[in-house]
Every structure is written in C-alpha cells, then in structure tokens.
Amino acid sequence: VPDRDLILVLTPDEEKSGLLGAEWLVQNHRDLIDAAFAINEGGGGTLKDGKPFLQAVQATEKAFTDFTLTVKNRGGHSSVPRPDNAIYQLANGLVKLEHFAFPVMLNDVTRAFFSGTAAIESPVNAAAMRALLKNPNDAAAAATLSRDPRYNSMLRTTCVATLLHGGHADNALPQSATATVNCRIFPGVQPPEVQAELQKLVGPKVEVKPDPNYIGQPTPASPLRPDVVAAVNNAVHKVIGSDMEVYPEMSTGASDGSFFRAQGIPVYDIDGSWGISPIDERAHGLDERIPVRAMYDDVVYWTMIFKSLAG
C-alpha cells in the first residue's frame, strides 16, 4: 500500500512535438501533475562484451529541434543542365555538415558521468575522459572519445540529416530540394544559436529554417535525489546480480521529462531492460527490438523502485 500518491501519465508522442501528450498536459492540466518528482523511461544499462557495463540515471537531456534546409531554383529542361542545380547545392551543404563538429561542452551531469565511467572504461577511453575533464579544450582527448558515437553525442550539440527530398520529374531540372536536419542541442544552448551556425556552415544559397512543430527548449538539470539513486541501485543489484554503481547521465535523445522539468518538477529517467549492446542499438528503426527477458526484467525493476520510493 503506497504511503504517498502515485500519478500515472501515459503519453503518445514522446521525442516528437509533445503537442498531444506532455506539453498539452502541462499547459492545460498542470494541477493534475503537481508532484515532488517524476520517474520517466530512459537512462538504463549498457552492455559491453555481453555483460552489464554501467547503469545510468538521466538527470538532464538535450533539446530536440528540427531544421529544414531548402534550395530553390528556376529549374528548366534536363537536356540543358546548368551549374546552379538545387540538388547539387543542397548536397554540397550537407557534405559540409557531415564533416562539421560543434565544440565540446561539459556540465555538472556529464562531468560526473565521465568521472565515474573512467573507472570502468578501457585504458585509452579512461585516459581521454580524465584529460578532457581537466581541459575541455584537449582536442586529442575529444577526438579519442568522439570515435564512440554515444560519447561523441554526450560531448556536444549534434546535427544530422535524416530526410531528403528533391526534384519533381526525371526530365526536369529540380526547382527545389529540401533536407530535414535533426539536432540534439546541448543544455544551455539556444536553438537560434544552432540555426545561425548551420546557416554560416552551408552558405547563403541554402536556407535554414526551424520546424515550428519541433523546436525544443533547454531545461535545467534535475538534482540527484539520494532516495532515487538508492532505489535504482538496489533494483539493479537484485535484478542483474551486479554491484555496479549508478551514474548520472545526460540523455542524448529527448523525452517528456523536458516538459516537466520546465515546470519545476525534477525528472529522473530510468530503465531496467538490459540486453541490448550499444553496437546493436535499433531504437526508432524498422527493426527495433529488445530481448524477451529484458521486458520481464524491466517489470520487476520498476516494481521494486516504486515500492522503494512509495511503499
């Protein structure tokens, strides 16, 4: 029997606009979610060589923002090609983006994550983590960690092309070409700053505009509550039989947590569905999956945490 109220929130569009879920909820029914803190899906455990490697609690996250890159052209007949081709101009801009990296940034959460992870990482990565913590401008250390896509995403704002459209007929020069570039913006950085950087990068012939439906806003980190950390630690140790420590983490993705953090509600993202290796990560893919055992383990994990925090 819980000794405090539990509020269950089920939303349909996490990591999208939030217009049908969390954002609508906080705008229209803030009174229904007046809570001391929130537990959300996210964080979770990482495998290495098939064995549990680390377990993290997300205390902050990047902001999800889409930008549309567009090139317009007068077009013409494909039998008379010209150098000013909309598809080529857009493609050249995207190649520049491919080879561009935003500067390294650290905050209290990522510092704590890298400090803790350095104790269990490979000697090369551990040395790079410690070097970067001492000097965020250490280019060699940043390059070493950036070889791992997950660490690279935790070090900086990232922007990547995800959708591409161009032309209208196979016998006509393209009159337009567009690309969607999805950015995960480091906490504290504003979307207009990223837009300006992208525009400078791709040049004046490519127009960069934010998608009004997907403009994320940076939110403050949630202070780590000892009771939450203790509950997660206990559940991890019992479910997977490991005595590993739990580290704070910044999510490289996006979650409903941002809408609640913006309302002053601390949010902690956790997950107990072990079994996916980082090199086999298929989230949002057409073949997304988790092991069957991971689903059942997650039920036990969450039940233990709820009982610990409200039992």
Side-chain angles (χ1 to χ4, degrees), residues 277-299:
S277 168
I279 62 174
D280 194 37
E281 176 61 64
R282 306 185 188 199
H284 305 321
L286 298 178
D287 55 355
E288 182 173 0
R289 64 186 186 178
I290 63 171
V292 173
R293 177 180 173 178
M295 184 181 73
Y296 289 103
D297 282 350
D298 211 14
V299 174

Side-chain angles (χ1 to χ4, degrees), residues 101-104 114 125 128-129 132 138-156 158:
F102 284 87
V104 169
F114 285 122
N125 280 344
M129 289 175 180
L132 206 59
D138 189 325
T144 296
L145 287 183
S146 295
R147 296 191 189 107
D148 185 312
R150 185 165 176 265
Y151 291 151
N152 176 67
S153 295
M154 294 183 70
L155 287 174
R156 52 173 56 88
T158 59

Side-chain angles (χ1 to χ4, degrees), residues 5-42:
D5 290 339
L6 298 177
I7 305 169
L8 176 64
V9 177
L10 303 176
T11 58
D13 59 346
E14 186 170 59
E15 199 167 345
K16 299 298 286 185
S17 67
L19 296 176
L20 300 177
E23 185 176 20
W24 178 89
L25 184 62
V26 299
Q27 289 179 353
N28 294 277
H29 294 286
R30 175 65 178 81
D31 59 307
L32 298 180
I33 55 168
D34 188 19
F37 64 94
I39 301 293
N40 187 34
E41 65 87 22

Side-chain angles (χ1 to χ4, degrees), residues 5-306:
D5 290 339
L6 298 177
I7 305 169
L8 176 64
V9 177
L10 303 176
T11 58
D13 59 346
E14 186 170 59
E15 199 167 345
K16 299 298 286 185
S17 67
L19 296 176
L20 300 177
E23 185 176 20
W24 178 89
L25 184 62
V26 299
Q27 289 179 353
N28 294 277
H29 294 286
R30 175 65 178 81
D31 59 307
L32 298 180
I33 55 168
D34 188 19
F37 64 94
I39 301 293
N40 187 34
E41 65 87 22
T46 300
L47 298 179
K48 188 173 185 179
D49 299 326
K51 298 179 181 180
F53 176 56
L54 66 84
Q55 174 76 14
V57 174
Q58 290 176 9
T60 188
E61 63 187 80
K62 287 179 160 183
F64 179 114
T65 300
D66 276 348
F67 293 97
T68 302
L69 276 57
T70 306
V71 177
K72 298 287 187 181
N73 191 283
R74 63 186 176 88
H77 200 286
S78 63
S79 65
V80 190
R82 303 188 311 276
D84 60 329
N85 184 296
I87 291 177
Y88 295 157
Q89 290 170 338
L90 178 62
N92 287 332
L94 294 177
V95 169
K96 293 177 182 177
L97 175 62
E98 176 189 6
H99 298 288
F100 175 76
F102 284 87
V104 169
M105 300 183 72
L106 296 171
N107 57 29
D108 289 345
V109 174
T110 58
R111 284 181 180 277
F113 174 83
F114 285 122
S115 178
T117 306
I120 57 176
E121 253 291 0
S122 67
V124 172
N125 280 344
M129 289 175 180
R130 295 187 179 105
L132 206 59
L133 289 172
K134 289 182 179 179
N135 177 18
N137 296 317
D138 189 325
T144 296
L145 287 183
S146 295
R147 296 191 189 107
D148 185 312
R150 185 165 176 265
Y151 291 151
N152 176 67
S153 295
M154 294 183 70
L155 287 174
R156 52 173 56 88
T157 292
T158 59
C159 292
V160 61
T162 54
L163 293 170
L164 187 63
H165 305 279
H168 61 279
D170 59 2
N171 61 351
L173 298 177
Q175 290 180 286
S176 69
T178 64
T180 296
V181 171
N182 178 244
C183 296
R184 306 305 175 108
I185 302 176
F186 201 92
V189 178
Q190 298 297 322
E193 298 176 52
V194 177
Q195 180 182 356
E197 190 68 47
L198 290 176
Q199 188 66 75
K200 178 182 176 182
L201 178 68
V202 300
K205 293 181 180 179
V206 182
E207 179 186 58
V208 179
K209 282 190 173 182
D211 185 327
N213 293 318
Y214 303 112
I215 303 178
Q217 295 300 323
T219 56
S222 302
L224 283 183
R225 291 176 58 107
D227 55 349
V228 173
V229 174
V232 172
N233 261 318
N234 183 57
V236 169
H237 297 167
K238 290 190 175 181
V239 171
I240 68 169
S242 169
D243 59 356
M244 68 174 56
E245 292 186 46
V246 173
Y247 301 116
E249 180 184 55
M250 177 186 71
S251 172
T252 59
S255 76
D256 283 343
S258 62
F259 300 110
F260 300 119
R261 287 191 184 98
Q263 293 292 314
I265 301 174
V267 181
Y268 306 97
D269 299 78
I270 64 173
D271 183 32
S273 56
W274 291 79
I276 296 294
S277 168
I279 62 174
D280 194 37
E281 176 61 64
R282 306 185 188 199
H284 305 321
L286 298 178
D287 55 355
E288 182 173 0
R289 64 186 186 178
I290 63 171
V292 173
R293 177 180 173 178
M295 184 181 73
Y296 289 103
D297 282 350
D298 211 14
V299 174
V300 176
Y301 176 82
W302 278 80
T303 302
M304 292 179 64
I305 288 173
F306 285 147

